[in-house]
Amino acid sequence: MKKCIYALDAGGSFLKCGLVDENLSVICGTHDSEPADSANGTEKSIRGAYKALAARAKARAASAGYEISAIGMDTPGPFDYATGTFRMTHKDTALYGVSVLPWFAEDFSGVPVNIMHDSTAFILGVSKDLPEEKKNGLAVVMLGTGLGFAVMKNGKPLLAANGGPGVSIYRAPLHGVEAEELISARGICVRYAKAAGCGDNMPDARQIAELAKYGDRDAITAYADTGRLLGELLSPILAEYGIHTLMLGGQISRDCGLFMPQLRIALEHSACGFRGEILEAPHADDAHLIGAATGCEKIISACDRV
């Protein structure tokens, strides 16, 4: 029987998964998702989501003629990668202090597990097909409910001693607050609501993007300011790490046309004068799954040799 990897992207609101072959391609027809509210849910309800998704993945693998021989998971941090324990205090608090390793042991008995930070998985996934020279001096920023960032030098993501990203920006000071408060979906919503006087009827970031596309000036400004603020934040970091390619991912970046011009202006006109490429990340839909599976392909190749 052919071997595959169960790749799981554990976000704060949804779990997303897919089966990945040893060539790091998501097997057609194996994508799946399950709601898992890590902020307002309970440990029991989230455990149920993990269990349901695992059961469907195993059934899907069997029907396609595959055996799940490794598990690759990515998740936001802080996270204890050695024990598989959530340590996030600013969100996803329902799982603080909970380890997922016993869950995987129950759902996939004897199957090895590899867990990494979601920004590490993302940069591995988007760089999968890049030429080697592009993998030196690459950075990715993930814009969504949070603000993720990763740097790759000489083909390898820069990591901190605890296994998290080597360069973290979400708590960096920016105009008196943490950067994530300004450069994220909620930052866009707060700026728009303040300008438009929305009160309690605040639209979400996706709705604001649609308003911007129809010419709403407050919506246009809310997104344009995102690009300007991001450029202000990233300029010295890109210079420090010799970045020549910046890739944009995350749900907000699906509408990057609304903030890309201001981002480019902010970077080019900064003291550091960034002149590199700014691109939408390739493989954006599967990047987390491909990245989470990276490293596990050696495990399933070893299984095949045995």
Side-chain angles (χ1 to χ4, degrees):
M1 183 175 283
K2 295 177 290 185
K3 311 294 183 182
C4 71
I5 302 157
Y6 175 62
L8 177 67
D9 175 28
S13 301
F14 279 88
L15 303 175
K16 299 176 184 178
C17 76
L19 301 179
V20 178
D21 64 25
E22 61 185 302
N23 296 316
L24 294 180
S25 295
V26 181
I27 300 166
C28 184
T30 66
H31 293 85
D32 199 358
S33 65
E34 185 74 19
D37 189 344
S38 298
N40 302 306
T42 64
E43 179 182 341
K44 181 178 180 181
S45 67
I46 297 166
R47 169 62 183 121
Y50 273 77
K51 192 175 187 69
L53 207 60
R56 296 200 299 267
K58 287 192 290 187
R60 197 171 287 115
S63 108
Y66 284 89
E67 177 185 358
I68 295 173
S69 297
I71 298 165
M73 170 178 151
D74 80 336
T75 183
F79 190 89
D80 186 331
Y81 301 93
T83 64
T85 304
F86 290 92
R87 295 295 182 196
M88 190 180 296
T89 56
H90 63 297
K91 54 185 178 180
D92 297 357
T93 51
L95 290 181
Y96 182 82
V98 175
S99 173
V100 294
L101 295 185
W103 297 357
F104 287 135
E106 181 181 341
D107 296 338
F108 301 92
S109 179
V111 176
V113 181
N114 184 57
I115 304 176
M116 65 178 68
H117 194 275
D118 63 346
S119 67
T120 303
F122 190 75
I123 200 168
L124 286 168
V126 300
S127 64
K128 173 192 171 189
D129 296 327
L130 292 181
E132 290 304 313
E133 61 269 20
K134 286 279 193 181
K135 297 182 182 181
N136 184 29
L138 171 67
V140 297
V141 62
M142 300 170 355
L143 293 168
T145 56
L147 176 61
F149 188 71
V151 171
M152 178 175 282
K153 300 289 284 186
N154 299 315
K156 295 182 179 180
L158 297 186
L159 301 179
N162 65 1
V167 186
S168 181
I169 63 173
Y170 75 101
R171 281 186 165 166
L174 187 65
H175 295 284
V177 297
E178 294 181 349
E180 190 174 79
E181 291 300 313
L182 300 175
I183 309 170
S184 63
R186 70 178 169 275
I188 291 169
C189 292
V190 168
R191 283 192 295 278
Y192 179 78
K194 184 176 180 180
C198 294
D200 295 331
N201 299 314
M202 183 191 302
D204 62 26
R206 180 62 186 155
Q207 292 168 326
I208 296 170
E210 290 304 309
L211 290 170
K213 292 171 188 176
Y214 281 98
D216 184 302
R217 288 188 174 275
D218 293 327
I220 290 169
T221 301
Y223 267 86
D225 284 347
T226 300
R228 177 181 54 79
L229 290 163
L230 182 60
E232 181 180 340
L233 176 67
L234 290 184
S235 178
I237 298 171
L238 301 185
E240 178 181 356
Y241 289 93
I243 302 302
H244 55 70
T245 303
L246 174 65
M247 290 186 175
L248 306 175
Q251 290 298 317
I252 299 300
S253 291
R254 294 179 185 275
D255 293 305
C256 65
L258 297 174
F259 66 83
M260 180 87 83
Q262 290 73 23
L263 169 60
R264 187 176 295 280
I265 290 169
L267 288 174
E268 291 180 353
H269 291 186
S270 69
C272 301
F274 179 76
R275 293 293 184 270
E277 294 182 294
I278 306 175
L279 308 169
E280 290 185 66
H283 311 299
D285 290 338
D286 285 340
H288 283 284
L289 301 181
I290 293 169
T294 300
C296 296
E297 81 278 13
K298 297 175 182 176
I299 297 172
I300 66 171
S301 293
C303 290
D304 287 339
R305 287 195 296 273
V306 173

